[in-house]
Amino acid sequence: MSPDGRHRSLRRRRWLERFLDGWAIYRRNPLGWIGLGLLALFALMAAASFVPPLIDPMYHPMAGVDPEITSSMGPSLRHWLGTDFMGRDIFSQLLAGARVAFLVGISAAFMSVAVGTAVGITSGYLGGLADTLLMRLADMVMVMPALLVVLILAALFGQLNIWTVVLIIALFRWPGVARVIRAQTLTLKHRPFIEAVRVAGASHRRILLRHILPNVLPLSFLYMTFRVTSAIMIEAGLAFLGFGDSTTVSWGMMLQWVWKTGHMFKAPYWLLPPGLCISLITLAFYLLGQAMEEVLDPRLRKEEGGVG
Amino acid sequence: MGLWRYAARRLVQIAGLFYVILTVLFIVFRLAPGDPVERMVDPSMDPEDAEVLMAQLGLDRPVGVQYLYYLKNFVSGDMGISFHYGEPVAEIIADRLPNTVLLFTSSTILAAVVGVLLGKRASWSKGRSTDTVLTFSALATHTVFLPWLALLLIWLFAYRLGWFPITGMVSEDVWLDPGATWWTRAVDVAHHMVLPLASLFLIQFGTFLLVMRSSMLETLKEDYILTARAKGLPERVIRNHHAAPNAALPVLTTIGLSLAFSINGGAITETVFTWPGIGRELVLAVSQNDYPLAQASFLLIAAVVLLANLVVDLLYAVLDPRIRY
Amino acid sequence: MPLVVVDGLTVGYWTAGGMAPAVEDVSFTLEKGESLGLVGESGCGKTTLGKALLRLLPPNGRVLAGEIRFDGEDLLAKTEAEMREVRWGKIAMIFQAAMNALNPVHRVGDQIAEAVRAHGPGLGRDAVRERVLELFRLVGIPEQRLRDYPHQYSGGMKQRAIIAMALACRPKLVIADEPTTALDVIVQAQILDEIQRLQRKLGVSLVFISHDIAVVADVCHWIGVMYAGHLVEHGPRDEVLGDPGHPYTRALLASYPTLAGLRRALEPIPGELPNLLDMPPGCRFSGRCSRSRPECRDRKPGWSVLSPSHRVLCPWAKEDR
């Protein structure tokens, strides 16, 4: 094996070891298990969302209408969770909503964390004026209520599609990540091993990509789980207020239909599932994040005692 | 005194921030597709009136001059005429702003106070059932989807039990009755406010509880707590006088950071409960393409967030003497 | 009757790996007005011992055996409420200033006043204020700094304030835990002088904990050397310094350059402290001892008495001299 190849396989083994060590801590946390369990359930729902339209076109979440039904009906064998005001199947809508929630949550979180990490390490590594300017910008973006920003943009640019929404959420949710990553970069910057590679003549690009980035990535990943929850909440809020992408079904939009068509008092079978799903998926990502935080931050682990 | 200088410095920074937001909004309004004039002057307006309004807003001048008009008009409180209401935007805003401030500040203060007290309580009984129950309810309310929670509250307390009005801020019969005293009117508003306040309170207090709890647990490990114990002070004094003020500092930071989140929630709550505030006005304005009103509401909300941040910063400085210097 | 009698004290911490003994079978006495210096590397149990005297062990710490008598009273038998009377009223503690021992959000004067008030409930506002001012004068902090916050003080001044706070209730015993660590050398010397002066002037007893035997040698009448939870040597200052009996004490002395005019080559002690959860059954220093004999590892070391007041936890102490 070439020396470089050996180096790479060593590196890979170190990652694997780190992961296994982390997992050993994670699996002791019961709340972390609840989070993972819920996520598995929602992933299953998202995967299953492709099935109902294949069984019968009337189970298509958007376009499928049960020809025999013209108003909202309670649960039955034919429609497990009942139908909405125009005879569409609530259960298949709920499955499709899981798909949209994952899509929005994960892509928006990934983008915002990518932006935040990039800004954070640049700002922390470069320091000086660039640092000041980037952090001022972060301060400003941080205080903007993202939902209302999306609203005002919706007013100006007309109906937003789901990807635009994802993009805007990402563009307004990076400052928190950037700050944490910047702080982490600052502490890394002065560690001996970074000083050593610098003295050895490594370029800035190499130091950033090969030495600093791998060390802040776990933290970025942690923040991603928290960003997923906020992205899902913002998208759902937007859809609830009636500014969602009208070509996809999301849980927020389902709630909007219940509310706007005045079914909230008479159709609990329609009101309860979407709200419960949004709340639970948020909870699941939150628990996942908390448990991961415990893995990454030794101070948060349950006291194992110590000699002091 | 150090505190005043600090306050002045923060005020200047915040004014600068607001100016940037003002400018960005101006640019975005010009960049958006369509005719910017149509966005500030109702196309269905009487042509002569429209011309007067355009002159007043400087829309017949070059963009640079328009910008100066925009700033001048904003400073003098002249932000155009709402398409939907046909009234000056400033008047609508002035009418709605107090309602938002009332709902939002009372829920935030209530949530912070209750969150801090319960968080302290939870940290005392760490690992016992009180702690588990408190932490779990904080988690649940922290992650619940606000509109859904609001709808459930309406369904249960307003529809099924009939304890509170379903929506609105006032009952017409009380407010149209000339003989009603200010007291009966206040009670009427309070009665309407219970459910929206409860929704906003519920989604906010969990964060404060969780932050206070973990911050308190951290603080109890500090050396000055050991000093306080060595001094022979009773446990109650150590917790309330020595640990809590230090532990509350991160809670204040959290209030500042979560303001944007709570403002989102405020707009949703106002909309669900038809509470006549700025957040609801913004949502309505956007759905009716009432650009002047949407713009002004947005700016006012941004101003409210910034000012609330200022208040939080000042509270922090009062509590933490290290900040002022 | 001695002021402090510690007899067979054993303190342990509950850890993930079981009960770790941090202090084991430690005995000593201290007379009124005298001072004892406890020396040892970090982790040797000296801080644990200091905290145990005030019963301020962390939640996972327990006194497993032994007795602590103060002024004739059994401290371990006291209730928590009775113990609060003892804390600061009779035994006060000087913490490291560098250790955030002052609460950052309260004024320094108020923190001292709080201690005065806690143990003098009948005192009026003016009496408390007068007492705080008196304490400030005693340690040499200008009066106008009374209303300042800790972060406005320099390190040395913080340390003085902490000393003032310790003296607030006229305690009979003061435990000073590394009070000069993290101060620069000149300030360190000033603080040491201050502690010595006040100790003599006020006639309080002092337990002085330090990792630095040179510091302890300056201040204390008695020296106790601790290693891995054991008190391995205890005796009057001059005897311990002039005629150290334990190999560890000798190694400690050799690792300080300018003691008593000796300019020996610096000799770092090879090896590390043994893991508290996995101690050798015999002498704990045997792994690092240059004079170690095969049986040292397995047999519990016995005491050698070098003089009526000087004892050493090493059976070979007399032969190896």
Side-chain angles (χ1 to χ4, degrees):
Chain A
M1 201 188 284
S2 72
D4 199 42
R6 197 162 63 229
H7 183 71
R8 216 175 300 136
S9 87
L10 265 178
R11 184 182 292 266
R12 206 173 301 135
R13 211 170 63 221
R14 216 172 53 222
W15 274 96
L16 186 69
E17 264 165 36
R18 263 167 86 172
F19 176 78
L20 288 178
D21 285 352
W23 173 242
I25 298 165
Y26 186 99
R27 42 185 278 197
R28 285 204 300 256
N29 187 336
L31 288 179
W33 276 113
I34 297 179
L36 272 186
L38 282 173
L39 281 185
L41 183 73
F42 285 118
L44 200 69
M45 283 174 66
S49 67
F50 297 97
V51 178
L54 300 178
I55 298 171
D56 191 314
M58 78 169 177
Y59 289 122
H60 189 280
M62 254 342 234
V65 175
D66 189 334
E68 291 163 34
I69 295 176
T70 52
S71 66
S72 176
M73 300 287 284
S76 62
L77 258 184
R78 195 175 154 94
H79 301 286
W80 291 354
L81 287 178
T83 68
D84 72 359
F85 63 107
M86 49 197 267
R88 294 181 298 190
D89 185 63
I90 290 176
F91 185 64
S92 24
Q93 288 183 348
L94 205 65
L95 295 184
R99 201 171 68 215
V100 173
F102 270 109
L103 192 88
V104 169
I106 291 178
S107 49
F110 179 79
M111 277 194 264
S112 71
V113 167
V115 175
T117 307
V119 172
I121 59 175
T122 318
S123 180
Y125 188 77
L126 292 183
L129 184 66
D131 182 31
T132 315
L133 286 180
L134 284 172
M135 285 301 113
R136 281 280 154 278
L137 182 66
D139 281 347
M140 197 177 72
V141 175
M142 180 116 77
V143 297
M144 302 305 297
L147 179 69
L148 303 186
V149 173
V150 187
L151 270 184
I152 197 95
L153 291 177
L156 289 173
F157 293 88
Q159 191 74 52
L160 301 172
N161 75 31
I162 199 92
W163 292 110
T164 328
V165 172
V166 164
L167 189 72
I168 300 173
I169 294 175
L171 284 180
F172 277 88
R173 299 301 291 155
W174 58 265
V177 187
R179 281 190 165 191
V180 174
I181 297 298
R182 171 179 172 272
Q184 181 75 4
T185 309
L186 281 178
T187 67
L188 281 171
K189 198 167 114 182
H190 298 294
R191 295 265 180 85
F193 76 96
I194 298 286
E195 305 267 353
V197 268
R198 204 198 329 264
V199 172
S203 68
H204 289 311
R205 210 175 74 100
R206 196 181 154 80
I207 294 177
L208 276 176
L209 292 184
R210 298 279 300 208
H211 298 283
I212 292 189
L213 190 62
N215 282 294
V216 298
L217 271 186
L219 209 59
S220 305
F221 195 59
L222 166 70
Y223 271 80
M224 221 181 104
T225 60
F226 290 128
R227 283 294 160 268
V228 173
T229 64
S230 82
I232 291 177
M233 285 253 199
I234 292 173
E235 193 279 333
L238 197 67
F240 174 77
L241 292 176
F243 303 98
D245 184 339
S246 52
T247 58
T248 48
V249 189
S250 77
W251 291 329
M253 199 173 284
M254 291 174 69
L255 271 183
Q256 196 228 352
W257 288 331
V258 187
W259 179 48
K260 282 283 159 164
T261 57
H263 282 78
M264 53 183 278
F265 296 145
K266 39 189 170 177
Y269 53 88
W270 187 9
L271 172 66
L272 293 179
L276 194 66
C277 282
I278 301 174
S279 305
L280 284 182
I281 199 169
T282 323
L283 180 71
F285 275 109
Y286 188 86
L287 292 178
L288 185 78
Q290 289 269 298
M292 272 173 46
E293 198 169 20
E294 204 173 279
V295 172
L296 293 178
D297 184 354
R299 283 188 317 141
L300 294 179
R301 271 174 226 163
K302 286 230 174 66
E303 261 95 299
E304 290 170 20
V307 178
Chain B
M1 190 193 148
L3 189 60
W4 289 112
R5 233 190 5 235
Y6 175 76
R9 209 178 65 220
R10 288 295 297 152
L11 194 62
V12 170
Q13 281 175 1
I14 276 175
L17 220 56
F18 188 70
Y19 170 73
V20 175
I21 294 173
L22 206 60
T23 305
V24 169
L25 202 64
F26 177 83
I27 297 171
V28 170
F29 263 69
R30 261 72 193 166
L31 283 183
D35 182 2
V37 173
E38 276 185 18
R39 235 172 270 126
M40 293 318 288
V41 178
D42 194 344
S44 61
M45 213 180 200
D46 177 63
E48 270 172 46
D49 290 349
E51 214 136 294
V52 175
L53 188 60
M54 273 178 67
Q56 197 189 347
L57 295 175
L59 291 174
D60 44 359
R61 309 287 194 88
V63 176
V65 182
Q66 282 184 28
Y67 176 61
L68 294 179
Y69 266 94
Y70 168 78
L71 291 184
K72 184 195 132 248
N73 284 335
F74 179 78
V75 171
S76 55
D78 192 353
M79 293 185 281
I81 294 187
S82 160
F83 295 179
H84 177 70
Y85 295 95
E87 289 169 30
V89 166
E91 280 175 26
I92 302 167
I93 297 284
D95 183 53
R96 309 293 192 263
L97 183 63
N99 303 339
T100 294
V101 170
L102 173 68
L103 179 63
F104 191 71
T105 36
S106 40
S107 75
T108 306
I109 292 173
L110 194 66
V113 169
V114 173
V116 162
L117 291 178
L118 290 182
K120 210 166 73 174
R121 184 80 190 72
S123 74
W124 292 356
S125 49
K126 182 177 182 254
R128 272 179 270 145
S129 56
T130 322
D131 180 29
T132 315
V133 169
L134 285 175
T135 312
F136 187 79
S137 49
L139 261 180
T141 56
H142 176 64
T143 52
V144 74
F145 186 51
L146 171 62
W148 187 60
L149 175 74
L151 292 180
L152 289 184
L153 287 180
I154 294 178
W155 179 78
L156 180 63
F157 292 106
Y159 177 70
R160 294 305 293 265
L161 298 172
W163 292 354
F164 303 105
I166 289 179
T167 54
M169 181 170 165
V170 291
S171 324
E172 285 193 355
D173 52 331
V174 175
W175 283 72
L176 292 179
D177 174 10
T181 58
W182 68 268
W183 173 245
T184 41
R185 292 180 178 190
V187 169
D188 181 53
V189 171
H191 191 217
H192 281 80
M193 197 163 98
V194 171
L195 287 184
L197 185 69
S199 327
L200 261 183
F201 164 78
L202 281 175
I203 57 147
Q204 289 185 82
F205 98 100
T207 321
F208 300 140
L209 192 157
L210 295 174
V211 173
M212 181 66 184
R213 177 181 176 276
S214 64
S215 160
M216 190 79 179
L217 289 175
E218 273 306 301
T219 309
L220 285 174
K221 290 180 201 154
E222 291 281 353
D223 293 311
Y224 49 79
I225 298 300
L226 186 66
T227 312
R229 286 222 166 92
K231 274 195 211 168
L233 301 175
E235 203 63 5
R236 189 176 42 80
V237 175
I238 294 173
R239 280 168 174 162
N240 291 337
H241 190 64
H242 285 274
N246 283 287
L249 293 175
V251 178
L252 273 180
T253 316
T254 313
I255 296 184
L257 291 180
S258 64
L259 267 175
F261 170 77
S262 322
I263 284 277
N264 288 341
I268 289 177
T269 311
E270 286 180 3
T271 309
V272 176
F273 288 97
T274 21
W275 183 267
I278 298 196
R280 174 167 177 270
E281 218 51 73
L282 174 60
V283 172
L284 286 179
V286 168
S287 56
Q288 290 157 345
N289 290 329
D290 188 347
Y291 300 108
L293 187 56
Q295 182 188 35
S297 311
F298 183 81
L299 280 175
L300 252 286
I301 289 173
V304 167
V305 176
L306 290 176
L307 282 178
N309 262 302
L310 178 70
V311 171
V312 167
D313 283 346
L314 291 185
L315 270 178
Y316 201 109
V318 168
L319 276 182
D320 188 349
R322 283 166 297 189
I323 288 294
R324 276 170 243 164
Y325 300 91
Chain C
M1 184 183 61
L3 184 70
V4 184
V5 179
V6 173
D7 188 16
L9 188 69
T10 301
V11 182
Y13 290 109
W14 279 112
T15 68
M19 195 65 172
V23 168
E24 203 166 332
D25 197 18
V26 167
S27 307
F28 63 85
T29 61
L30 186 63
E31 296 290 336
K32 201 167 173 316
E34 294 198 326
S35 54
L36 164 70
L38 285 175
V39 215
E41 290 162 276
S42 57
C44 72
K46 54 192 196 299
T47 296
T48 300
L49 182 58
K51 284 183 185 166
L53 290 179
L54 270 173
R55 282 189 31 204
L56 281 177
L57 292 170
N60 62 334
R62 295 268 178 292
V63 172
L64 300 171
E67 210 181 4
I68 304 173
R69 300 190 77 83
F70 179 81
D71 222 358
E73 292 180 289
D74 183 356
L75 288 192
L76 297 180
K78 282 187 181 290
T79 63
E80 192 53 30
E82 289 169 338
M83 205 51 216
R84 276 210 297 274
E85 296 296 308
V86 173
R87 287 184 195 136
W88 230 253
K90 292 175 178 164
I91 309 177
M93 197 151 179
I94 296 175
F95 298 94
Q96 259 186 55
M99 266 176 41
N100 218 0
L102 292 170
N103 194 325
V105 305
H106 295 305
R107 297 177 200 279
V108 177
D110 293 346
Q111 296 189 49
I112 297 176
E114 184 182 39
V116 175
R117 230 177 288 119
H119 296 278
L123 285 180
R125 246 173 122 73
D126 292 337
V128 171
R129 193 181 147 74
E130 196 38 57
R131 175 69 184 145
V132 175
L133 282 175
E134 192 185 320
L135 288 163
F136 264 52
R137 281 193 293 270
L138 190 67
V139 297
I141 304 177
E143 279 183 26
Q144 64 267 28
R145 305 301 301 265
L146 200 68
R147 290 179 55 77
D148 280 357
Y149 289 95
H151 69 276
Q152 291 163 282
Y153 276 38
S154 66
M157 196 137 55
K158 258 190 247 177
Q159 194 63 64
R160 281 170 198 273
I162 290 169
I163 293 171
M165 189 153 80
L167 299 174
C169 309
R170 300 186 177 85
K172 293 181 176 171
L173 171 67
V174 171
I175 301 166
D177 189 355
E178 304 268 12
T180 58
T181 311
L183 295 177
D184 65 59
V185 185
I186 296 170
V187 181
Q188 186 172 344
Q190 287 171 354
I191 296 289
L192 284 178
D193 282 350
E194 196 72 40
I195 291 178
Q196 214 169 355
R197 182 177 70 84
L198 291 171
Q199 194 243 329
R200 302 225 159 109
K201 181 178 172 195
L202 305 174
V204 291
S205 303
L206 177 69
V207 172
F208 193 104
I209 297 169
S210 177
H211 64 282
D212 185 343
I213 197 166
V215 164
V216 164
D218 264 357
V219 183
C220 300
H221 303 111
W222 295 81
I223 290 180
V225 179
M226 292 194 65
Y227 185 80
H230 281 162
L231 184 66
V232 294
E233 180 156 4
H234 179 252
R237 168 184 183 267
D238 294 337
E239 286 183 39
V240 173
L241 294 180
D243 182 19
H246 200 280
Y248 178 63
T249 315
R250 261 180 254 136
L252 268 186
L253 286 170
S255 59
Y256 284 96
T258 56
L259 196 72
L262 295 175
R263 283 216 168 260
R264 270 180 286 173
L266 268 179
E267 285 174 37
I269 310 173
E272 283 174 10
L273 271 175
N275 182 348
L276 288 180
L277 286 168
D278 182 27
M279 291 286 193
C283 174
R284 292 181 177 174
F285 190 58
S286 55
R288 295 166 80 182
C289 182
S290 56
R291 308 272 182 100
S292 174
R293 293 150 172 84
E295 55 266 49
C296 286
R297 289 200 67 79
D298 312 313
R299 214 174 48 210
K300 265 198 165 11
W303 287 97
S304 296
V305 178
L306 299 187
S307 84
S309 52
H310 185 188
R311 62 202 158 96
V312 176
L313 193 63
C314 174
W316 321 105
K318 281 181 186 159
E319 297 169 32
D320 285 353
R321 256 201 284 185

